[in-house]
Amino acid sequence: MELRKTIVIKVGSSLLANTERLTPRWAFMHNLMEDIARLREDGAKVILCSSGSVALGLNMIGERPETAGLRDKQAAAACGMPLLLNAYKQVAHEYSFEIAQVLVTLRDLEDRNRFLNTKNTVDRLLDANIMPIINENDTITTEEIRVGDNDRLSAKIAQMVQADELIILTQVDGLFDKDPSDPSAVMVEEVIDVSPYLSVTDGVSSLGSGGMLTKIQAAHMAQNAGCDTRIAHGEYERPVTSVLNGERRHTKVLADKHPASAWANWLTDRLQMAGSIVIKPAAAAALEDGPQNIGREDVLSIQGPYVKGDVIHVYDESGKELARALTNFSSDETMALARNAGMSALQLLGYETGGTLITAKNMIVLSERHLPWDLPADDAMTEVSS
């Protein structure tokens, strides 16, 4: 095996928790942690993105996955997280290494300062030879402010640490060209462009919150950062090294040979849309030459709410996504400026500022390799002229 320096491993709830009893699957955890110990002994830095806290905590509150609501899942996460971490810690001690828990929220990954603070924590743990175990903080997140799946979260972590490999362990052998239950389905062993497979990847496991679609989205995010992604079945004695050694079949999504910068990846690979604007044809045409300032006179409609410093999506009138950028104003301030182009910002906002909504240095014009987001529905947009 050609050992990679930094490896992010994602495991889902269905591998960690027994579907019926909702108890830890100790055999899988032993196989996984033993394999991680091998990687660490060979000099790899390993980060584990682990689901499972909600599934393991449901028994304690008397609920089942199919009936649990948001409050139930939040409470279950609070009960299940100590169980999950205790299990990991016991097994890790058998293989003579230490673990640490890092809980994150959507905002920790979407806000630039909090993203960098999280990176500093993870880097410091790796420097101390401690394996970070990262999960979304399900005890406090709601449907509106959560990542929603650990597949894309693991890809953000892979981008964060500039990983060489992202290993997504699941309960299928990899990506298929159609529903795997179809007898004619063929497994795809190597992927350069994920776009053709997006329409055949819906479906979610009974315990987890992600399906093959989120795994493909995660792989796309990782490849933009120069990281290979391997999607493989987790039920093997050496679930990770057997994949890296090429000993069993899996799907490999190839890294882009010319990855974007860390800044560009953070700006473009979003987990949630904070807001968006539709701009006039002249402003849209100007973006063909690269990032440009967007002024209040360029805006046709706005979708929010968003706040200053959020990353917003920029569309043309036809609904084509053109760019993603940091906004200098909240959605309310943007609307006030755009609807009253003849009035000064001081009169409108109460403080002196220019009318530039987006500056070119804080914008990334989307390339063909980025997966576009659909324009929000008409009833979510507010017209500037109304």
Side-chain angles (χ1 to χ4, degrees):
M1 177 182 67
E2 180 188 356
L3 184 62
R4 300 291 186 172
K5 183 177 180 182
T6 304
I7 301 170
V8 175
I9 302 169
K10 184 268 174 180
V11 293
S13 297
S14 55
L15 289 171
L16 290 163
N18 181 281
T19 304
E20 291 302 318
R21 294 189 297 273
L22 299 177
T23 53
R25 300 184 70 237
W26 289 98
F28 169 77
M29 296 185 76
H30 273 273
N31 287 338
L32 175 65
M33 298 299 268
E34 183 180 21
D35 215 18
I36 288 173
R38 291 189 187 96
L39 293 169
R40 288 167 52 88
E41 288 168 3
D42 288 339
K45 294 181 178 180
V46 181
I47 299 167
L48 181 61
C49 290
S50 175
S51 303
S53 61
V54 173
L56 294 178
L58 285 172
N59 270 343
M60 296 179 67
I61 64 168
E63 283 290 345
R64 295 290 304 172
E66 55 271 17
T67 59
L70 176 60
R71 291 179 62 209
D72 299 323
K73 292 176 182 178
Q74 290 174 323
C79 296
M81 187 55 70
L83 293 175
L84 181 65
L85 265 291
N86 182 59
Y88 274 130
K89 194 169 187 68
Q90 288 185 52
V91 180
H93 276 184
E94 290 190 37
Y95 299 104
S96 303
F97 67 92
E98 297 291 339
I99 65 169
Q101 181 185 47
V102 180
L103 292 177
V104 299
T105 65
L106 177 73
R107 207 65 184 167
D108 295 324
L109 302 174
E110 301 286 71
D111 179 270
R112 185 62 178 171
N113 287 335
R114 290 165 70 167
F115 178 86
L116 294 176
N117 286 337
T118 304
K119 174 178 168 35
N120 289 338
T121 299
V122 172
D123 286 344
R124 183 64 184 89
L125 291 169
L126 293 174
D127 289 343
N129 202 29
I130 297 170
M131 184 182 75
I133 298 180
I134 301 176
N135 191 13
E136 185 166 13
N137 192 347
D138 290 314
T139 63
I140 63 171
T141 54
T142 64
E143 296 296 340
E144 292 77 19
I145 60 170
R146 67 192 303 261
V147 176
D149 64 88
N150 275 345
D151 296 319
R152 292 181 305 141
L153 185 148
S154 68
K156 291 297 288 187
I157 300 302
Q159 289 183 340
M160 177 186 289
V161 300
Q162 297 179 301
D164 301 288
E165 294 274 3
L166 170 60
I167 312 294
I168 299 178
L169 298 179
T170 183
Q171 288 195 312
V172 294
D173 290 333
L175 169 69
F176 287 78
D177 63 351
K178 59 187 71 174
D179 189 324
S181 62
D182 188 326
S184 65
V186 176
M187 203 190 85
V188 182
E189 295 188 357
E190 190 171 277
V191 176
I192 297 176
D193 180 7
V194 304
S195 300
Y197 303 102
L198 295 177
S199 62
V200 295
T201 55
D202 53 358
V204 177
S205 71
S206 60
L207 287 180
S209 55
M212 189 55 69
L213 174 60
T214 59
K215 291 169 178 55
I216 289 299
Q217 291 171 333
H220 177 69
M221 292 165 63
Q223 70 179 164
N224 286 341
C227 176
D228 287 330
T229 300
R230 300 171 192 263
I231 303 170
H233 207 298
E235 298 283 2
Y236 282 82
E237 185 176 348
R238 293 181 293 110
V240 179
T241 56
S242 61
V243 171
L244 292 174
N245 285 334
E247 297 173 16
R248 59 189 179 93
R249 67 177 193 162
H250 62 279
T251 296
K252 181 178 181 180
V253 182
L254 300 179
D256 194 292
K257 294 181 179 178
H258 303 287
S261 68
W263 160 254
N265 283 320
W266 175 83
L267 193 62
T268 53
D269 286 331
R270 313 307 296 162
L271 297 170
Q272 189 180 82
M273 185 187 294
S276 63
I277 60 174
V278 176
I279 59 175
K280 296 177 180 178
L287 293 182
E288 295 178 3
D289 296 325
Q292 309 286 335
N293 287 353
I294 301 295
R296 55 176 167 173
E297 69 281 357
D298 297 320
V299 179
L300 289 171
S301 57
I302 297 168
Q303 177 260 333
Y306 56 82
V307 299
K308 178 181 179 180
D310 273 346
V311 175
I312 62 173
H313 299 233
V314 181
Y315 297 86
D316 65 14
E317 283 187 290
S318 71
K320 178 183 177 182
E321 188 179 8
L322 305 174
R324 293 171 193 169
L326 291 176
T327 174
N328 294 326
F329 300 99
S330 69
S331 51
D332 288 342
E333 290 173 327
T334 299
M335 184 60 72
L337 290 167
R339 282 183 169 174
N340 301 279
M343 296 177 64
S344 70
L346 179 61
Q347 288 176 289
L348 294 168
L349 307 180
Y351 61 91
E352 192 62 60
T353 181
T356 303
L357 306 179
I358 295 170
T359 53
K361 68 178 182 179
N362 290 329
M363 172 189 287
I364 299 294
V365 176
L366 298 187
S367 64
E368 291 183 358
R369 71 182 182 187
H370 290 101
L371 296 178
W373 288 40
D374 290 337
L375 180 70
D378 288 344
D379 58 2
M381 306 295 295
T382 303
E383 298 293 330
V384 168
S385 59
S386 61

